[in-house]
Amino acid sequence: MLTNSVAQGRISHAQLFAGGEGVGALSLAIAYIQYINCPHKSATDSCGECPSCRQIAELAHPDVHFVFPVNTPKGKSSSEKPVSDQFIGKWRELAKKTGGYFNEQMWYSAIDIENKQGNISKTEADEIIRKLSFKSFESPYKAIIIWLPEKMNVQAANTLLKILEEPWDKTLFLLVSESPDKLLPTILSRTQIIDIPGIEDKVLASYLSEKHNISIEDALKMARLSRGNVLEAERNIFSGEEHDMMFEYFVQLMRLSYENKHMELLEWAENAASLGREEQKRLIKNHIRLIRESYMLTAGMGEISYLVGKEYDFCKKFAPYVNNNNVEALVNEMETVIRQISQNGNAKIIFTHFALSVSKLINKL
């Protein structure tokens, strides 16, 4: 679709690459602008050898700019608002190391703001407009790639609205979002949305098997469990202890909910609240996965339920308690927890409310 748009000369000036972490949306956006600006492109790809291709691959092309959420690093003065250019060296480093497959937390860790939320400020939006006001240096198109545009504050989004609506000639905005639903509707309405699916199981399994020297059968199981997410697949390979811990949390929550043991549920909530913020989000995402798989078993669709070992043994017995009466409400509660944690809510309050809500829903048969 993207190569056809270039061949037909119908390149939309504002495009939103929408895909979860670990599916390659950022890498695709970079490859796309490399293809657009390559003077020796084929029908399917850029040449990869010309100066333009090499510069874009190194994230160092003068006409391709990057914007991403930032904040003041630990130990630095917060008197000035930080902007992306101050962190471009770290950005190139991480992109080169990971091939562009990294998530928000990996980025925050790289720039030493793990205990803060990154954001894209109005100062950054003003800087974008300043950069785009210049003529292009070498290539036909100037481009801004905005990674995680959902981190723009309202002032930044409003500053960019006019230029998104009436852009300068041969100026491209490529927005790479993991949560497009969090963008302002006015931003969404001005972009062409390109949904990036998860990586196919067989393709991901082949990659995992070759990179990590594991059997293709084990790699295929990991690929299915990760739902096309490279980062999740690699976490599953290297984080056996964390994976076991998350499963035990799920088992405890469901058993205590079924037995209506409210005091023990409060203890469960306290333990969950003591985990790190990103660990909490991974925990609840894993809960959503196990709820979904349990519902597939309840619905008689075990062939598309990707459970193995002790997860399968538990969920097979537990599956009847996840049904049409409560599955949507359970997932909604879990998605709410992830959203509230991302907004720096009080973890103890969030998990206490969550545990008691789940207890009511599990008994809704």
Side-chain angles (χ1 to χ4, degrees), residues 139-358:
S139 297
Y141 283 88
K142 295 175 291 182
I144 287 277
I145 296 179
I146 305 178
W147 183 62
L148 303 186
E150 56 267 31
K151 294 295 178 180
M152 281 192 289
N153 61 30
V154 174
Q155 292 84 358
N158 285 334
T159 299
L160 291 180
L161 273 177
K162 183 168 177 59
I163 193 170
L164 280 175
E165 199 168 41
E166 300 173 8
W168 288 299
D169 189 39
K170 299 213 168 180
T171 299
L172 302 180
F173 283 86
L174 304 181
L175 282 60
V176 181
S177 174
E178 291 178 6
S179 304
D181 55 305
K182 293 178 183 174
L183 285 165
L184 289 180
T186 44
I187 294 283
L188 278 176
S189 66
R190 287 164 173 78
T191 61
Q192 176 186 359
I193 300 175
I194 299 158
D195 289 313
I196 314 298
I199 298 163
E200 291 179 9
D201 288 349
K202 288 182 180 178
V203 174
L204 181 52
S206 176
Y207 164 81
L208 295 172
S209 177
E210 185 177 336
K211 182 177 179 183
H212 301 292
N213 196 28
I214 59 177
S215 72
I216 195 68
E217 291 79 12
D218 287 344
L220 196 53
K221 287 176 186 175
M222 291 296 179
R224 286 174 173 169
L225 286 171
S226 69
R227 308 213 171 278
N229 178 341
V230 170
L231 301 180
E232 183 65 23
E234 296 194 323
R235 276 197 295 266
N236 288 338
I237 289 171
F238 293 113
S239 305
E241 285 185 15
E242 184 184 73
H243 192 82
D244 288 345
M245 176 272 289
M246 291 192 294
F247 174 63
E248 287 307 316
Y249 264 90
F250 180 78
V251 171
Q252 288 173 16
L253 177 61
M254 295 307 150
R255 283 179 175 161
L256 294 173
S257 296
Y258 171 73
E259 294 167 2
N260 263 326
K261 292 187 174 179
H262 290 163
M263 295 308 295
E264 288 86 345
L265 280 169
L266 295 179
E267 187 180 344
W268 181 96
E270 207 161 306
N271 290 335
S274 70
L275 300 172
R277 185 163 54 86
E278 292 305 312
E279 205 173 12
Q280 289 168 352
K281 289 196 281 188
R282 289 198 298 273
L283 176 74
I284 299 303
K285 285 178 182 177
N286 193 55
H287 282 22
I288 292 174
R289 177 181 69 84
L290 292 170
I291 286 292
R292 183 260 179 201
E293 304 297 353
S294 297
Y295 181 69
M296 291 297 103
L297 294 174
T298 300
M301 293 187 283
E303 68 277 6
I304 56 170
S305 178
Y306 303 130
L307 292 169
V308 293
K310 58 187 179 182
E311 287 187 345
Y312 176 78
D313 293 338
F314 175 78
C315 291
K316 186 178 180 182
K317 296 173 186 174
F318 171 71
Y321 297 95
V322 179
N323 50 63
N324 289 338
N325 293 324
N326 62 8
V327 64
E328 288 187 19
L330 282 167
V331 172
N332 284 339
E333 287 289 343
M334 292 172 184
E335 288 177 340
T336 298
V337 169
I338 293 170
R339 186 167 62 252
Q340 290 172 336
I341 291 168
S342 299
Q343 294 167 345
N344 290 327
N346 183 302
K348 194 169 179 181
I349 294 173
I350 292 169
F351 279 102
T352 298
H353 179 272
F354 169 66
L356 296 175
S357 298
V358 169

Side-chain angles (χ1 to χ4, degrees), residues 67-68 70 82-85 120-128:
V67 169
F68 32 78
V70 296
V83 292
S84 299
D85 280 354
I120 298 171
S121 65
K122 184 180 184 302
T123 304
E124 186 84 73
D126 291 337
E127 183 66 8
I128 290 171

Side-chain angles (χ1 to χ4, degrees), residues 3 31 34-35 38 40-47:
T3 53
Q34 182 172 315
Y35 182 74
C38 177
H40 309 300
K41 66 176 76 66
S42 69
T44 56
D45 207 350
S46 53
C47 74

Side-chain angles (χ1 to χ4, degrees), residues 6 11 30-56 61 64 138-141:
V6 177
I11 302 170
I30 294 169
Y32 180 50
I33 189 60
Q34 182 172 315
Y35 182 74
I36 288 171
N37 280 334
C38 177
H40 309 300
K41 66 176 76 66
S42 69
T44 56
D45 207 350
S46 53
C47 74
E49 299 295 332
C50 67
S52 174
C53 283
R54 289 201 301 270
Q55 284 179 311
I56 293 174
H61 196 289
V64 180
E138 300 174 2
S139 297
Y141 283 88

Side-chain angles (χ1 to χ4, degrees), residues 101-149:
Y101 288 79
F102 57 90
N103 61 19
E104 186 179 357
Q105 189 55 31
M106 290 165 71
W107 170 237
Y108 292 167
S109 178
I111 60 173
D112 202 18
I113 63 164
E114 289 165 284
N115 295 320
K116 297 180 181 179
Q117 286 283 345
N119 67 85
I120 298 171
S121 65
K122 184 180 184 302
T123 304
E124 186 84 73
D126 291 337
E127 183 66 8
I128 290 171
I129 291 172
R130 186 189 70 80
K131 286 176 181 175
L132 294 181
S133 66
F134 300 129
K135 289 182 178 179
S136 60
F137 286 88
E138 300 174 2
S139 297
Y141 283 88
K142 295 175 291 182
I144 287 277
I145 296 179
I146 305 178
W147 183 62
L148 303 186

